[in-house]
Amino acid sequence: MPPDQPPDELPDAVPAEIRAQVMPAVLDELARWGVERFSIEALAERHRIEAEMIYRHWGDRQRLIVDAALADLETWGDVPDTGSLHGDLEALAISVAKRVNTEVGRAFLRALVMGPRGRHDEETRMMFWRARFAVVRRIIDRARRRGELRDGITTVAATQILLAPINIRALYSDAPIEKEYCAAIVDMVYHAIARD
């Protein structure tokens, strides 16, 4: 399925108290074991949560992981419409960096790194990618409507050249990602995709 399609349907609203109990446990398990070795049974045992209750609300591990990923994406916050492509890209870069500068944000990003996997785990990652892509697409679509983009720029390429340097730095280093680094990345991305 192309990455610009919305994520598959997720579970109906889970009561807030159950989400508050389960989501931190999911993030902890993903940080420990990654996507491939993530197990609802292990999560339930380690965190003293009833596995049957998790299955009742989420159905399977993929839906649970994707729900956690979408909850993590919500920590980016709404990317403001600054009125310019450059401003929107900078706001997004700073928001992403702020999240991956947290212990949970960096652990979650690292848990989603590709490794030896089965098809199921690749599908899980693609659902996460589609959700993340949808955030950036709003920025690119606005810029396209304002006439700010060069011809031939695809949303996928714009997303990758903005997020890849931030993600790579977060994957290979524990050092914080500074606003100055984000600004430098944004300047390069802007000059690559903006109309002259």
Side-chain angles (χ1 to χ4, degrees), residues 6-194:
D8 293 349
E9 186 178 323
L10 287 169
D12 293 331
V14 175
E17 64 276 6
I18 292 175
R19 287 187 67 81
Q21 180 185 19
V22 173
M23 287 296 115
V26 173
L27 293 174
D28 180 61
E29 290 297 299
L30 286 169
R32 286 176 190 251
W33 308 110
V35 173
E36 287 82 12
R37 294 176 57 201
F38 180 88
S39 159
I40 289 177
E41 287 72 21
L43 177 153
E45 184 176 334
R46 192 175 349 272
H47 295 273
R48 295 185 176 92
I49 300 172
E50 198 178 308
E52 183 180 306
M53 181 264 299
I54 295 172
Y55 282 112
R56 184 170 56 250
H57 287 288
W58 281 275
D60 60 35
R61 68 187 285 279
Q62 182 182 32
R63 289 166 60 103
L64 180 59
I65 292 168
V66 171
D67 195 22
L70 294 176
D72 188 68
L73 281 174
E74 289 173 8
T75 64
W76 288 15
D78 288 332
V79 177
D81 183 353
T82 65
S84 74
L85 173 60
H86 192 281
D88 290 353
L89 291 172
E90 187 166 20
L92 177 63
I94 288 170
S95 181
V96 171
K98 182 178 177 183
R99 179 55 179 162
V100 298
N101 280 337
T102 68
E103 184 179 343
V104 169
R106 197 157 297 204
F108 191 72
L109 177 66
R110 289 174 177 171
L112 292 169
V113 170
M114 301 299 267
R117 66 204 185 278
R119 177 166 165 69
H120 177 85
D121 294 317
E122 186 175 354
E123 289 174 0
T124 303
R125 286 186 178 91
M126 283 305 296
M127 290 174 79
F128 173 75
W129 164 247
R130 288 193 302 271
R132 180 176 270 204
F133 178 86
V135 174
V136 183
R137 181 178 193 140
R138 292 196 301 267
I139 291 172
I140 301 304
D141 287 348
R142 282 196 305 247
R144 188 169 280 118
R145 285 192 300 272
R146 291 188 299 244
E148 293 180 279
L149 290 183
R150 285 192 306 113
D151 292 338
I153 296 298
T154 68
T155 308
V156 172
T159 303
Q160 290 172 337
I161 62 175
L162 176 65
L163 296 181
I166 296 170
N167 289 339
I168 292 294
R169 189 159 179 174
L171 290 171
Y172 288 102
S173 170
D174 289 328
I177 298 170
E178 311 87 2
K179 286 186 179 180
E180 295 78 14
Y181 179 76
C182 292
I185 296 301
V186 166
D187 283 343
M188 287 187 282
V189 173
Y190 179 78
H191 290 299
I193 70 175

